[in-house]
Amino acid sequence: MPLEAGLLEILACPACHAPLTEAETELICTGEDCGLAYPVRDDIPVLLVDEARRPD
């Protein structure tokens, strides 16, 4: 699920505004105290806090 070139550079976590890293089917917040995982559906990141998975 590679995102369009440059898109990951401008996306940020809606909860804490930290950068995101790309995983297989989700984008993971790099914020120390946050760590939310946002799903990517049909190659579209769903950056809604209500849809995010909490860190383990």
Side-chain angles (χ1 to χ4, degrees):
M1 170 223 59
L3 292 177
E4 191 173 315
L7 181 60
L8 194 58
E9 292 177 17
I10 61 171
L11 292 178
C13 175
C16 72
H17 309 291
L20 299 169
T21 60
E22 193 171 6
E24 283 187 33
T25 60
E26 55 192 11
L27 297 176
I28 312 287
C29 175
T30 59
E32 241 178 68
D33 297 328
C34 186
L36 291 174
Y38 297 93
V40 177
R41 296 185 188 125
D42 298 322
D43 294 331
I44 300 169
V46 181
L47 298 177
L48 299 171
V49 176
D50 291 342
E51 295 283 326
R53 179 178 57 80
R54 298 279 172 201
D56 298 332

Short mmCIF file of all heavy atoms in Angstrom, two decimals:
data_model
loop_
_atom_site.label_atom_id
_atom_site.label_comp_id
_atom_site.label_asym_id
_atom_site.label_seq_id
_atom_site.Cartn_x
_atom_site.Cartn_y
_atom_site.Cartn_z
N MET A 1 0.82 -1.17 0.00
CA MET A 1 0.00 0.00 0.00
C MET A 1 0.88 1.25 0.00
O MET A 1 0.79 2.06 0.88
CB MET A 1 -0.91 -0.06 1.23
CG MET A 1 -1.63 1.21 1.46
SD MET A 1 -1.75 1.82 3.15
CE MET A 1 -0.12 2.04 3.69
N PRO A 2 1.75 1.41 -0.95
CA PRO A 2 2.56 2.63 -0.96
C PRO A 2 1.70 3.84 -1.29
O PRO A 2 0.93 3.83 -2.23
CB PRO A 2 3.59 2.36 -2.04
CG PRO A 2 3.09 1.21 -2.83
CD PRO A 2 2.06 0.50 -2.02
N LEU A 3 1.84 4.86 -0.47
CA LEU A 3 1.09 6.09 -0.71
C LEU A 3 1.77 6.89 -1.82
O LEU A 3 2.94 6.70 -2.12
CB LEU A 3 1.04 6.93 0.56
CG LEU A 3 0.21 6.36 1.70
CD1 LEU A 3 0.31 7.26 2.93
CD2 LEU A 3 -1.24 6.22 1.30
N GLU A 4 1.02 7.80 -2.40
CA GLU A 4 1.55 8.66 -3.45
C GLU A 4 2.78 9.40 -2.94
O GLU A 4 2.85 9.81 -1.78
CB GLU A 4 0.46 9.65 -3.84
CG GLU A 4 0.77 10.43 -5.09
CD GLU A 4 -0.40 11.27 -5.53
OE1 GLU A 4 -1.53 10.75 -5.53
OE2 GLU A 4 -0.18 12.43 -5.85
N ALA A 5 3.75 9.55 -3.80
CA ALA A 5 5.02 10.19 -3.43
C ALA A 5 4.77 11.57 -2.81
O ALA A 5 4.03 12.38 -3.33
CB ALA A 5 5.90 10.32 -4.66
N GLY A 6 5.37 11.79 -1.67
CA GLY A 6 5.27 13.08 -1.00
C GLY A 6 4.07 13.22 -0.08
O GLY A 6 4.04 14.12 0.74
N LEU A 7 3.08 12.35 -0.20
CA LEU A 7 1.88 12.47 0.62
C LEU A 7 2.19 12.23 2.10
O LEU A 7 1.73 12.98 2.96
CB LEU A 7 0.79 11.51 0.15
CG LEU A 7 -0.52 11.54 0.91
CD1 LEU A 7 -1.17 12.92 0.83
CD2 LEU A 7 -1.48 10.50 0.39
N LEU A 8 2.98 11.22 2.39
CA LEU A 8 3.32 10.90 3.77
C LEU A 8 4.07 12.05 4.45
O LEU A 8 3.95 12.24 5.65
CB LEU A 8 4.14 9.61 3.83
CG LEU A 8 4.30 8.96 5.19
CD1 LEU A 8 2.94 8.64 5.80
CD2 LEU A 8 5.13 7.71 5.10
N GLU A 9 4.82 12.82 3.67
CA GLU A 9 5.57 13.94 4.22
C GLU A 9 4.67 15.06 4.74
O GLU A 9 5.05 15.78 5.66
CB GLU A 9 6.52 14.50 3.17
CG GLU A 9 7.63 13.56 2.80
CD GLU A 9 8.51 14.12 1.70
OE1 GLU A 9 8.46 15.34 1.45
OE2 GLU A 9 9.23 13.33 1.07
N ILE A 10 3.48 15.19 4.19
CA ILE A 10 2.60 16.30 4.61
C ILE A 10 1.49 15.85 5.56
O ILE A 10 0.83 16.69 6.16
CB ILE A 10 1.98 17.03 3.39
CG1 ILE A 10 1.12 16.08 2.56
CG2 ILE A 10 3.06 17.67 2.56
CD1 ILE A 10 0.32 16.76 1.48
N LEU A 11 1.30 14.53 5.71
CA LEU A 11 0.28 14.04 6.64
C LEU A 11 0.79 14.06 8.07
O LEU A 11 1.98 13.83 8.32
CB LEU A 11 -0.13 12.61 6.27
CG LEU A 11 -0.89 12.43 4.97
CD1 LEU A 11 -1.18 10.96 4.73
CD2 LEU A 11 -2.17 13.23 4.97
N ALA A 12 -0.11 14.33 9.00
CA ALA A 12 0.24 14.32 10.43
C ALA A 12 -0.93 13.73 11.21
O ALA A 12 -2.07 13.71 10.74
CB ALA A 12 0.53 15.74 10.91
N CYS A 13 -0.63 13.26 12.40
CA CYS A 13 -1.65 12.71 13.28
C CYS A 13 -2.64 13.81 13.65
O CYS A 13 -2.23 14.87 14.12
CB CYS A 13 -0.99 12.13 14.53
SG CYS A 13 -2.17 11.55 15.76
N PRO A 14 -3.93 13.58 13.46
CA PRO A 14 -4.91 14.60 13.82
C PRO A 14 -5.01 14.82 15.33
O PRO A 14 -5.45 15.88 15.77
CB PRO A 14 -6.24 14.07 13.28
CG PRO A 14 -5.97 12.77 12.66
CD PRO A 14 -4.53 12.45 12.78
N ALA A 15 -4.59 13.86 16.13
CA ALA A 15 -4.71 13.98 17.59
C ALA A 15 -3.56 14.79 18.18
O ALA A 15 -3.78 15.66 19.02
CB ALA A 15 -4.76 12.59 18.22
N CYS A 16 -2.31 14.51 17.75
CA CYS A 16 -1.17 15.16 18.39
C CYS A 16 -0.27 15.91 17.39
O CYS A 16 0.70 16.53 17.81
CB CYS A 16 -0.34 14.14 19.17
SG CYS A 16 0.58 13.00 18.11
N HIS A 17 -0.55 15.81 16.11
CA HIS A 17 0.17 16.50 15.03
C HIS A 17 1.59 15.99 14.80
O HIS A 17 2.39 16.66 14.16
CB HIS A 17 0.19 18.02 15.27
CG HIS A 17 -1.17 18.56 15.53
ND1 HIS A 17 -2.15 18.62 14.56
CD2 HIS A 17 -1.75 19.04 16.65
CE1 HIS A 17 -3.25 19.12 15.08
NE2 HIS A 17 -3.04 19.38 16.35
N ALA A 18 1.91 14.79 15.30
CA ALA A 18 3.21 14.17 15.05
C ALA A 18 3.21 13.54 13.65
O ALA A 18 2.15 13.24 13.09
CB ALA A 18 3.50 13.10 16.10
N PRO A 19 4.39 13.31 13.07
CA PRO A 19 4.46 12.64 11.76
C PRO A 19 3.92 11.22 11.84
O PRO A 19 3.86 10.61 12.91
CB PRO A 19 5.97 12.62 11.46
CG PRO A 19 6.57 13.64 12.35
CD PRO A 19 5.69 13.73 13.56
N LEU A 20 3.55 10.69 10.67
CA LEU A 20 3.03 9.33 10.57
C LEU A 20 4.03 8.46 9.80
O LEU A 20 4.73 8.96 8.93
CB LEU A 20 1.69 9.33 9.83
CG LEU A 20 0.56 10.11 10.48
CD1 LEU A 20 -0.61 10.25 9.52
CD2 LEU A 20 0.12 9.46 11.77
N THR A 21 4.07 7.18 10.15
CA THR A 21 4.88 6.22 9.39
C THR A 21 3.95 5.21 8.76
O THR A 21 2.89 4.91 9.29
CB THR A 21 5.91 5.49 10.29
OG1 THR A 21 5.21 4.79 11.31
CG2 THR A 21 6.90 6.45 10.90
N GLU A 22 4.39 4.67 7.64
CA GLU A 22 3.56 3.75 6.87
C GLU A 22 3.80 2.31 7.29
O GLU A 22 4.94 1.86 7.41
CB GLU A 22 3.90 3.93 5.39
CG GLU A 22 2.95 3.30 4.45
CD GLU A 22 3.23 3.70 3.02
OE1 GLU A 22 4.23 4.38 2.75
OE2 GLU A 22 2.42 3.32 2.17
N ALA A 23 2.72 1.59 7.56
CA ALA A 23 2.77 0.15 7.81
C ALA A 23 1.99 -0.53 6.68
O ALA A 23 1.59 0.13 5.72
CB ALA A 23 2.17 -0.16 9.18
N GLU A 24 1.72 -1.82 6.80
CA GLU A 24 1.04 -2.54 5.72
C GLU A 24 -0.32 -1.96 5.37
O GLU A 24 -0.58 -1.61 4.23
CB GLU A 24 0.91 -4.01 6.07
CG GLU A 24 2.19 -4.78 5.90
CD GLU A 24 1.96 -6.26 6.09
OE1 GLU A 24 0.88 -6.75 5.75
OE2 GLU A 24 2.88 -6.90 6.60
N THR A 25 -1.21 -1.88 6.35
CA THR A 25 -2.58 -1.43 6.07
C THR A 25 -2.99 -0.25 6.93
O THR A 25 -4.18 0.01 7.09
CB THR A 25 -3.59 -2.57 6.27
OG1 THR A 25 -3.49 -3.01 7.63
CG2 THR A 25 -3.32 -3.72 5.34
N GLU A 26 -2.01 0.43 7.51
CA GLU A 26 -2.35 1.57 8.37
C GLU A 26 -1.17 2.54 8.45
O GLU A 26 -0.06 2.24 8.04
CB GLU A 26 -2.75 1.10 9.76
CG GLU A 26 -1.75 0.22 10.45
CD GLU A 26 -2.30 -0.46 11.70
OE1 GLU A 26 -3.51 -0.42 11.94
OE2 GLU A 26 -1.48 -1.02 12.44
N LEU A 27 -1.48 3.73 8.96
CA LEU A 27 -0.47 4.74 9.23
C LEU A 27 -0.34 4.87 10.74
O LEU A 27 -1.34 5.03 11.43
CB LEU A 27 -0.87 6.08 8.61
CG LEU A 27 -1.00 6.10 7.10
CD1 LEU A 27 -1.51 7.47 6.64
CD2 LEU A 27 0.33 5.79 6.44
N ILE A 28 0.87 4.82 11.25
CA ILE A 28 1.13 4.82 12.69
C ILE A 28 1.69 6.17 13.10
O ILE A 28 2.64 6.68 12.49
CB ILE A 28 2.14 3.73 13.08
CG1 ILE A 28 1.79 2.39 12.46
CG2 ILE A 28 2.30 3.65 14.59
CD1 ILE A 28 0.62 1.70 13.05
N CYS A 29 1.13 6.74 14.15
CA CYS A 29 1.62 8.00 14.70
C CYS A 29 2.95 7.76 15.40
O CYS A 29 3.11 6.79 16.14
CB CYS A 29 0.60 8.57 15.68
SG CYS A 29 1.18 10.06 16.51
N THR A 30 3.91 8.65 15.19
CA THR A 30 5.23 8.52 15.81
C THR A 30 5.31 9.27 17.14
O THR A 30 6.36 9.25 17.78
CB THR A 30 6.33 9.04 14.88
OG1 THR A 30 6.08 10.42 14.58
CG2 THR A 30 6.38 8.23 13.58
N GLY A 31 4.23 9.90 17.55
CA GLY A 31 4.22 10.62 18.82
C GLY A 31 4.43 9.68 20.00
O GLY A 31 3.79 8.63 20.08
N GLU A 32 5.32 10.06 20.92
CA GLU A 32 5.65 9.23 22.07
C GLU A 32 4.44 8.85 22.91
O GLU A 32 4.28 7.71 23.32
CB GLU A 32 6.65 9.97 22.96
CG GLU A 32 7.97 9.27 23.11
CD GLU A 32 8.90 10.08 23.96
OE1 GLU A 32 8.63 10.22 25.17
OE2 GLU A 32 9.90 10.56 23.41
N ASP A 33 3.58 9.81 23.19
CA ASP A 33 2.43 9.57 24.06
C ASP A 33 1.16 9.22 23.29
O ASP A 33 0.12 8.99 23.90
CB ASP A 33 2.17 10.81 24.92
CG ASP A 33 3.32 11.11 25.86
OD1 ASP A 33 4.00 10.16 26.30
OD2 ASP A 33 3.56 12.30 26.13
N CYS A 34 1.22 9.18 21.98
CA CYS A 34 0.03 8.94 21.18
C CYS A 34 0.04 7.53 20.59
O CYS A 34 -0.60 6.64 21.13
CB CYS A 34 -0.06 10.00 20.08
SG CYS A 34 -1.59 9.92 19.11
N GLY A 35 0.71 7.33 19.48
CA GLY A 35 0.85 6.02 18.87
C GLY A 35 -0.39 5.47 18.19
O GLY A 35 -0.46 4.27 17.94
N LEU A 36 -1.37 6.30 17.90
CA LEU A 36 -2.57 5.82 17.24
C LEU A 36 -2.25 5.25 15.86
O LEU A 36 -1.33 5.72 15.19
CB LEU A 36 -3.60 6.95 17.10
CG LEU A 36 -4.23 7.46 18.39
CD1 LEU A 36 -5.11 8.67 18.09
CD2 LEU A 36 -5.05 6.37 19.05
N ALA A 37 -3.01 4.25 15.43
CA ALA A 37 -2.85 3.64 14.12
C ALA A 37 -4.10 3.90 13.30
O ALA A 37 -5.20 3.49 13.68
CB ALA A 37 -2.60 2.15 14.27
N TYR A 38 -3.93 4.61 12.20
CA TYR A 38 -5.06 4.99 11.34
C TYR A 38 -5.16 4.03 10.16
O TYR A 38 -4.16 3.76 9.50
CB TYR A 38 -4.87 6.42 10.84
CG TYR A 38 -4.86 7.42 11.96
CD1 TYR A 38 -3.66 7.83 12.54
CD2 TYR A 38 -6.04 7.93 12.48
CE1 TYR A 38 -3.64 8.73 13.59
CE2 TYR A 38 -6.03 8.84 13.53
CZ TYR A 38 -4.83 9.23 14.08
OH TYR A 38 -4.81 10.12 15.12
N PRO A 39 -6.36 3.51 9.88
CA PRO A 39 -6.50 2.56 8.77
C PRO A 39 -6.36 3.24 7.42
O PRO A 39 -6.59 4.45 7.28
CB PRO A 39 -7.92 2.02 8.97
CG PRO A 39 -8.65 3.10 9.68
CD PRO A 39 -7.62 3.78 10.55
N VAL A 40 -5.97 2.45 6.44
CA VAL A 40 -5.95 2.89 5.04
C VAL A 40 -6.90 1.97 4.29
O VAL A 40 -6.69 0.76 4.25
CB VAL A 40 -4.53 2.82 4.45
CG1 VAL A 40 -4.55 3.22 2.98
CG2 VAL A 40 -3.59 3.71 5.23
N ARG A 41 -7.96 2.55 3.74
CA ARG A 41 -8.98 1.77 3.03
C ARG A 41 -9.02 2.20 1.57
O ARG A 41 -9.17 3.38 1.28
CB ARG A 41 -10.35 1.97 3.67
CG ARG A 41 -10.40 1.45 5.10
CD ARG A 41 -11.81 1.55 5.67
NE ARG A 41 -11.75 1.22 7.08
CZ ARG A 41 -12.21 2.01 8.05
NH1 ARG A 41 -12.77 3.17 7.76
NH2 ARG A 41 -12.13 1.63 9.31
N ASP A 42 -8.90 1.25 0.67
CA ASP A 42 -8.90 1.53 -0.77
C ASP A 42 -7.87 2.59 -1.12
O ASP A 42 -8.14 3.51 -1.90
CB ASP A 42 -10.29 1.95 -1.25
CG ASP A 42 -11.32 0.86 -1.05
OD1 ASP A 42 -10.98 -0.31 -1.24
OD2 ASP A 42 -12.47 1.20 -0.70
N ASP A 43 -6.67 2.48 -0.50
CA ASP A 43 -5.55 3.41 -0.72
C ASP A 43 -5.83 4.83 -0.25
O ASP A 43 -5.17 5.77 -0.67
CB ASP A 43 -5.13 3.43 -2.19
CG ASP A 43 -4.57 2.10 -2.63
OD1 ASP A 43 -3.99 1.39 -1.78
OD2 ASP A 43 -4.68 1.77 -3.82
N ILE A 44 -6.82 5.00 0.64
CA ILE A 44 -7.15 6.32 1.18
C ILE A 44 -6.97 6.28 2.70
O ILE A 44 -7.64 5.50 3.38
CB ILE A 44 -8.59 6.73 0.83
CG1 ILE A 44 -8.77 6.78 -0.68
CG2 ILE A 44 -8.95 8.07 1.48
CD1 ILE A 44 -10.20 6.92 -1.13
N PRO A 45 -6.07 7.11 3.25
CA PRO A 45 -5.90 7.15 4.71
C PRO A 45 -7.15 7.71 5.39
O PRO A 45 -7.69 8.73 4.97
CB PRO A 45 -4.71 8.10 4.92
CG PRO A 45 -4.06 8.24 3.59
CD PRO A 45 -5.11 7.97 2.57
N VAL A 46 -7.63 7.02 6.41
CA VAL A 46 -8.79 7.46 7.18
C VAL A 46 -8.24 8.10 8.46
O VAL A 46 -8.00 7.42 9.44
CB VAL A 46 -9.74 6.29 7.50
CG1 VAL A 46 -10.95 6.79 8.28
CG2 VAL A 46 -10.17 5.59 6.22
N LEU A 47 -8.04 9.40 8.43
CA LEU A 47 -7.41 10.11 9.54
C LEU A 47 -8.45 10.67 10.50
O LEU A 47 -8.51 11.87 10.76
CB LEU A 47 -6.49 11.21 9.01
CG LEU A 47 -5.33 10.71 8.16
CD1 LEU A 47 -4.51 11.87 7.63
CD2 LEU A 47 -4.45 9.75 8.95
N LEU A 48 -9.27 9.78 11.02
CA LEU A 48 -10.28 10.14 12.01
C LEU A 48 -9.91 9.47 13.33
O LEU A 48 -9.70 8.25 13.38
CB LEU A 48 -11.66 9.67 11.57
CG LEU A 48 -12.18 10.24 10.26
CD1 LEU A 48 -13.46 9.52 9.83
CD2 LEU A 48 -12.43 11.73 10.40
N VAL A 49 -9.84 10.24 14.39
CA VAL A 49 -9.46 9.69 15.69
C VAL A 49 -10.41 8.59 16.12
O VAL A 49 -9.99 7.58 16.70
CB VAL A 49 -9.38 10.82 16.76
CG1 VAL A 49 -9.09 10.26 18.13
CG2 VAL A 49 -8.32 11.85 16.35
N ASP A 50 -11.68 8.72 15.81
CA ASP A 50 -12.68 7.71 16.16
C ASP A 50 -12.44 6.37 15.44
O ASP A 50 -12.88 5.33 15.91
CB ASP A 50 -14.10 8.20 15.87
CG ASP A 50 -14.53 9.31 16.79
OD1 ASP A 50 -13.91 9.48 17.86
OD2 ASP A 50 -15.49 10.03 16.44
N GLU A 51 -11.78 6.41 14.29
CA GLU A 51 -11.51 5.20 13.51
C GLU A 51 -10.14 4.60 13.85
O GLU A 51 -9.83 3.50 13.40
CB GLU A 51 -11.55 5.53 12.02
CG GLU A 51 -12.91 5.96 11.51
CD GLU A 51 -13.86 4.79 11.33
OE1 GLU A 51 -13.41 3.69 10.97
OE2 GLU A 51 -15.06 4.99 11.55
N ALA A 52 -9.33 5.31 14.61
CA ALA A 52 -7.96 4.85 14.89
C ALA A 52 -7.94 3.74 15.93
O ALA A 52 -8.80 3.65 16.80
CB ALA A 52 -7.13 6.03 15.39
N ARG A 53 -6.92 2.88 15.79
CA ARG A 53 -6.68 1.81 16.73
C ARG A 53 -5.71 2.31 17.78
O ARG A 53 -4.71 2.95 17.49
CB ARG A 53 -6.07 0.61 15.98
CG ARG A 53 -5.76 -0.58 16.86
CD ARG A 53 -5.20 -1.74 16.05
NE ARG A 53 -4.01 -1.41 15.29
CZ ARG A 53 -2.76 -1.36 15.78
NH1 ARG A 53 -2.57 -1.58 17.05
NH2 ARG A 53 -1.75 -1.06 15.01
N ARG A 54 -6.04 2.06 19.05
CA ARG A 54 -5.17 2.45 20.16
C ARG A 54 -3.94 1.56 20.19
O ARG A 54 -4.02 0.40 19.81
CB ARG A 54 -5.91 2.34 21.49
CG ARG A 54 -7.10 3.26 21.60
CD ARG A 54 -6.67 4.63 21.97
NE ARG A 54 -7.81 5.54 21.89
CZ ARG A 54 -7.67 6.83 21.77
NH1 ARG A 54 -6.49 7.38 21.73
NH2 ARG A 54 -8.72 7.60 21.72
N PRO A 55 -2.80 2.08 20.64
CA PRO A 55 -1.60 1.25 20.72
C PRO A 55 -1.76 0.11 21.72
O PRO A 55 -2.52 0.22 22.69
CB PRO A 55 -0.51 2.21 21.16
CG PRO A 55 -1.22 3.38 21.74
CD PRO A 55 -2.59 3.41 21.13
N ASP A 56 -1.05 -0.98 21.49
CA ASP A 56 -1.13 -2.15 22.38
C ASP A 56 -0.52 -1.89 23.72
O ASP A 56 0.34 -1.17 23.95
CB ASP A 56 -0.41 -3.34 21.72
CG ASP A 56 -1.10 -3.72 20.41
OD1 ASP A 56 -2.31 -3.48 20.29
OD2 ASP A 56 -0.41 -4.25 19.53
#
